[in-house]
Amino acid sequence: MRLQTLLETPSMQQMRVIAGERGLNREINNIGMIESPDIANFLAAGQFLITNGYPFINTATDPTTLIKAMHAANCAGLGFKDHRYVDHLSPAVIKLANELAFPIIITPANELISETMRKMSRIILNSQTAELSRILAANQTLADLLLKDPSPTTVLNKCSELIDHALFLMDSHFRVISGSQNLPMTRRALTEFLRHQTDVDYFNLNSQITIAYQQSQLTITPLFSAYKENKAFVGIVDLDPGKATDQMLTQVVLNTLSFFNSRVDMLNESAFRNQSGFYLNVMDGGISNDLINKNLKAQAIEPSTKFHCATVLVTTSHQSLLSNHLLEQVQQLTLWFIKEYQAPVIVFSLKQQLVLLINEHQNAQHFLTALVQFIQPKLDKQSRLIVGYSYSVLPLTELATIYNEAAEALALSKNGPEAVTIYRPKYVKELISLIPDNEAKSFVDRVLGGLVGGVSANEQLNLLNTLYGYFYYHQNIAEVAGHLDIHRNTVIYRLKKIEKMLGFTLDDPEQTQTLEMAVLLWHNQPTQK
């Protein structure tokens, strides 16, 4: 209880303050008696010491030393019995007590010190008992409230009523999401101030801080969360840090709101898993377009919206199967980053990967690069975050297509130096280069082997170059002749000779397709480049 509150009780009316009146708001929780001024090593916070003044008549002892020691120990005050040795208190002691706001109080002369101590102790004990009952009742009230699955505002209003202070709840981005009805400022103004006008590193904030705002003091404390990357904060307006009851009631409120926040975390995680299941079904073709469009509308997304698809993976040098902790860490960091910058991105999980659907209006390369730069330093040194994303931008109904592109780009990231890789569409020449050399040579020999017999190596090369030009210039004889610098009749002659030697006809689409593939493989061989 406060020393001021104790002095206001009827049985304490005879006491009077002679110095340090500004310090009457000090907490008092126990009473002691001074037999010697040499007690500096035995002082305790909240202690009120009473003396008859005799120890201070010894001029070898400086009473200001005791005053300074009691103030440093945050003692409640010093009591002198009236009409004894109080006159020996020097003006210097009174002046020091006033400067330190350390109360010096005169106790009744007609009352034994032991009786004064007993009366004060009884008042303190009764106050502590009442405070404890109040705390227990508050704890029970809040526990009963949580069983009713209340809204955040309902919980805050009840908490505010119990501790007699306005409260506000913030998410992990220092955005005020709810406030008690007696909050003296708007949530929007408070969010603007906390996020943009303070230098608080809220992502790494793990201990209580106090911030001055307008005419108030805001005490902000992190709430316990199942995921440290998604912690929330509670703010208390004008909390008195020196009042023990306030501190204990505040702890009850913090415990209640932490439990409430953890339950929200679990509900969010369950919703995330359900969302992941939905998008996996979309990818597998198990969801109708109508249901897909309905789901998008529920998220305020136009069904015609197109997306890049990105896959996010953590690779480690020491384990093939990632721990759940590491996967959850990357998931929570990704979700935090998206919410911090309010990016138009949908997230779901697939096995040990995160899949991101990035709105076509968002710069995918910029966003993904920033995401990696945010997450990578927070992982252990053996872990590497890599991302692959699609070249195509398609509606959600084409999720399988853009996911496959992202997955292929991710595979390139695993072996490449870049953390973020975009899918590169394969052209015919690139696709041909992917065919193993031995298989390509076998196919070429089988299809074009008939050109070897009965002609010279030079004529064989002329025939093959003519055939390659024939396909390259889309069967335009004049273009082929111009490119090879020969007469068009020569081109026709060579083509007829090729048909005869190979037993193919260039008028047959299927045979032409086989022949064209063989010529492309031949032209792609290193010896032909």
Side-chain angles (χ1 to χ4, degrees), residues 150-159 177-181 187 260:
S151 67
T153 302
T154 301
V155 175
L156 283 178
N157 283 335
K158 179 54 69 174
C159 289
I177 57 176
S178 185
S180 58
Q181 59 188 7
R187 290 187 295 167
F260 186 84

Side-chain angles (χ1 to χ4, degrees), residues 188-204:
R188 183 174 181 178
L190 200 50
T191 296
E192 171 64 24
F193 169 74
L194 292 170
R195 278 180 56 86
H196 304 298
Q197 299 179 40
T198 68
D199 57 357
V200 178
D201 180 8
Y202 42 87
F203 181 82
N204 293 307

Side-chain angles (χ1 to χ4, degrees), residues 29-49:
N29 53 43
N30 70 87
I31 311 297
M33 186 169 65
I34 300 179
E35 297 178 353
S36 167
D38 187 20
I39 60 169
N41 294 331
F42 306 97
L43 300 174
Q47 188 178 43
F48 185 87
L49 296 177

